[in-house]
Amino acid sequence: MAQDSSLSSFWDSRYQQQVTPWESGQLPAGFAALVQTLPPLVRSVLLPGCGSGYEVAYLQRQGLQVAAIDFSAEAVARAREQLGPLAELVRQADFFSDEVDGSWDWVYERAFLCALPPSRWPAYAEKMAHLVKPGGYLAGYFFLRPTLKGPPFGAELARLQELFQPWFTLSQKTPVSGSLPVFAPDEYWLCWQRSEKLMPVI
């Protein structure tokens, strides 16, 4: 099994071997209620690192324009299988590539940041700043437990604020009840609002 979680082969192996402790087979804990805390003006959402994509159908039923991506072929195959007629909402793509673009009201985070080696986190933050439209949101589930090894790679909130501060302001922090064992009790719903101007990194 590949050991570098920045490679798609790592995740393909995990899915093939059924080693997926981040997958619950259903919507994440409290998802429907937490989504309702987002402003009603949110009309479009991107789901990067979507895995099996259980949130996709729910969000589409809420009337949102939904797109989901994963760079693991195994993950995309699973998501498309469980989505059935909505399978076309999921495609295989590398989040960091130029093919992932657009201007989104909301980019949804769920076990994506913590799947990446911390060395990739600055690139994640900068990419999010370009995908989330001014005034839009990076919101979802974040793993707030510093770890030496991973995945999952957790971090203190101060570390995330340092990463996102040039572009985002934290507007909501809600503890999550009923998290999967791999994340409990340190999973939080965080909502980061994108500043109106795209500030350069100093």
Side-chain angles (χ1 to χ4, degrees), residues 72-91:
S72 164
E74 292 287 332
V76 170
R78 285 195 179 199
R80 287 176 171 170
E81 181 179 6
Q82 72 92 12
L83 284 167
L86 298 178
E88 74 282 355
L89 296 178
V90 181
R91 66 186 175 99

Side-chain angles (χ1 to χ4, degrees), residues 85-101:
L86 298 178
E88 74 282 355
L89 296 178
V90 181
R91 66 186 175 99
Q92 186 175 0
D94 182 347
F95 172 77
F96 295 101
S97 70
D98 291 339
E99 66 177 318
V100 178
D101 57 12

